[in-house]
C-alpha cells in the first residue's frame, strides 16, 4: 500500500514572515517557495503543488512560471498546481503552458483543475459569476479533448469555437490531471465521467465525512467504464520539532486567515483555540511533531483508502525559515514514518 502512496506538499503562496515577524515582499515570498521546493526534492517529498490566487494574502498568481523555475533546480519531485482555476482561463493556453512545463521538467508536470473557491479571477479576467458552473463544465470538456493531442473541433458558449485546431507543443507521455473537489457529489461524478483523478479538499471536520464521496467516485468510474484511478486528499497542517512548537507557530496565523475568509463567506463564528485543538486531534489539521503528523496522515490514508495525501504546509504568514524546516521534517521524518506505519 505505502509503496504506491504519493505524499506531497501544497502551498497557496502565502506571503511569509521573516525571522523578526515582519511580512516579506511578494517577490521574496515567491523565492522562498522555490527554495522550499528544492528542499522538498532533496528530502524525499513526492510532489509539490502551488495554488493560483489573485488576492493580497497570496503571492502566486502564475504557478506554472514558479514551477518552471523549480523544475530547473530539482530532479525528481512532481510539479503541479493546486488548483488551476480553469473556469477563468483558456484551456488551450493552459494546455500549452503545461505541455511546456512538462518538457522542461522531463515529464514531471501535473495539474489539479478547479472551479475556484476564491472568485477574484472571474471579474479580473472578465467572466460573469452567473456562468460559474457553465464555465467549468464546458472548459473541462474542452480540456479532456485537448489531452488527446489530436486536432480538436469544439463549440460552446464560453469561448470561440475551434475547428480542426491543433495545439502545440505535444507531450511525450501526456499530462496527469486531477480535479479538485470540496464536497459536491455532482463534481465527483463529473470527474469520473471524464476519467480524471479525484483530489478531495478536506479542510475541516473528520476526514471520514468524505468516505461517501470516495465510494461515489468508485461506483461512477465503474458504471461509466472508466479505469480505476488514484484518489488524493489535500488538508492543512504544519510540522515542527515538537507538537507545542508547531501549534504555536500555526494557530495565530491559521486563525487570522480562516477568520478573514469566514467573514467574507458568512461562516459561523471565529476560530477558537478549542476548535483548533479539536481539528488537530481528530479533524483535518495535521499539526505537530513528525511522529504526530505521521500517525494522523497514516490513519486518514488507511481509513479512506486513498493513494495520495498532500499537506498544505503554509496556512497564513508562517516564518519562511520555519516553513523550510517544516518541509525538511516532512520529507525526512514524516514520510518514512507514514510508510512504516502503513507497512506494519
Amino acid at each position: 500500500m505505502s509503496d504506491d502512496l504519493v505524499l506531497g506538499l501544497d502551498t497557496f503562496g502565502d506571503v511569509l514572515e521573516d525571522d523578526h515577524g515582519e511580512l516579506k515582499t511578494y517577490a521574496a515570498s515567491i523565492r522562498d517557495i522555490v527554495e522550499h521546493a528544492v528542499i522538498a526534492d532533496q528530502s524525499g517529498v513526492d510532489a509539490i503543488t502551488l495554488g493560483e490566487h489573485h488576492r493580497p494574502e497570496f503571492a502566486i498568481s502564475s504557478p506554472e512560471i514558479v514551477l518552471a523555475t523549480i523544475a530547473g533546480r530539482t530532479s525528481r519531485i512532481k510539479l503541479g498546481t493546486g488548483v488551476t482555476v480553469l473556469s477563468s482561463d483558456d484551456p488551450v493556453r493552459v494546455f500549452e503552458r503545461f505541455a511546456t512545463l512538462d518538457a522542461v521538467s522531463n515529464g514531471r508536470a501535473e495539474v489539479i483543475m478547479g472551479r475556484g473557491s476564491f472568485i477574484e479571477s472571474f471579474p479580473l479576467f472578465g467572466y460573469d459569476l452567473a456562468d460559474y458552473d457553465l464555465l467549468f463544465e464546458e472548459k473541462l470538456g474542452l480540456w479532456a479533448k485537448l489531452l488527446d493531442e489530436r486536432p480538436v473541433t469544439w463549440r460552446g458558449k464560453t469561448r470561440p469555437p475551434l475547428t480542426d485546431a491543433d495545439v502545440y507543443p505535444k507531450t511525450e507521455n501526456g499530462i496527469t490531471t486531477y480535479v479538485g473537489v470540496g464536497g459536491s457529489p455532482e463534481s465527483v461524478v463529473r470527474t469520473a465521467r471524464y476519467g480524471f483523478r479525484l483530489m478531495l479538499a478536506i479542510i475541516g471536520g473528520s476526514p471520514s465525512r468524505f468516505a461517501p464521496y470516495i465510494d461515489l467516485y468508485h461506483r461512477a468510474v465503474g458504471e461509466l467504464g472508466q479505469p480505476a484511478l488514484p484518489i488524493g486528499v489535500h488538508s492543512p497542517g504544519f510540522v515542527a520539532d515538537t507538537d507545542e512548537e508547531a501549534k504555536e507557530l500555526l494557530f495565530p496565523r491559521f486563525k487570522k486567515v480562516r477568520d478573514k475568509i469566514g467573514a467574507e463567506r458568512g461562516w459561523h463564528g471565529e476560530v477558537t483555540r478549542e476548535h483548533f485543538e479539536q481539528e488537530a486531534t481528530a479533524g483535518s489539521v495535521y499539526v505537530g511533531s513528525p511522529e504526530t503528523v505521521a500517525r494522523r496522515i497514516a490513519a486518514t490514508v488507511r481509513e479512506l483508502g486513498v493513494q495520495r495525501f498532500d499537506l498544505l504546509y503554509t496556512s497564513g504568514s508562517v516564518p519562511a525559515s520555519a516553513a523550510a524546516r517544516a518541509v525538511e521534517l516532512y520529507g525526512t521524518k514524516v514520510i518514512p514514518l507514514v510508510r512504516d506505519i502503513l507497512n506494519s
Side-chain angles (χ1 to χ4, degrees), residues 234-286:
H234 147 107
S235 291
F238 198 73
V239 189
D241 290 291
T242 66
D243 288 353
E244 181 181 6
E245 181 186 2
K247 290 178 179 180
E248 292 308 311
L249 279 166
L250 183 61
F251 172 68
R253 298 163 178 91
F254 178 89
K255 174 179 169 57
K256 183 177 180 180
V257 170
R258 284 293 181 91
D259 286 351
K260 180 177 181 181
I261 295 171
E264 292 173 359
R265 299 185 182 183
W267 294 349
H268 177 70
E270 297 183 350
V271 175
T272 64
R273 185 62 187 243
E274 181 183 10
H275 172 77
F276 177 78
E277 292 289 346
Q278 290 172 348
E279 287 288 342
T281 301
S284 296
V285 178
Y286 297 76

Side-chain angles (χ1 to χ4, degrees), residues 72-93:
R73 297 190 53 197
T74 58
S75 61
R76 45 163 297 279
I77 195 168
K78 292 285 188 180
L79 308 170
T81 51
V83 299
T84 289
V85 186
L86 186 63
S87 304
S88 58
D89 211 329
D90 178 3
V92 173
R93 292 294 291 137

Side-chain angles (χ1 to χ4, degrees), residues 151-162:
V152 172
T153 296
W154 179 92
R155 277 168 176 73
K157 298 178 180 178
T158 56
R159 61 148 288 147
L162 298 170

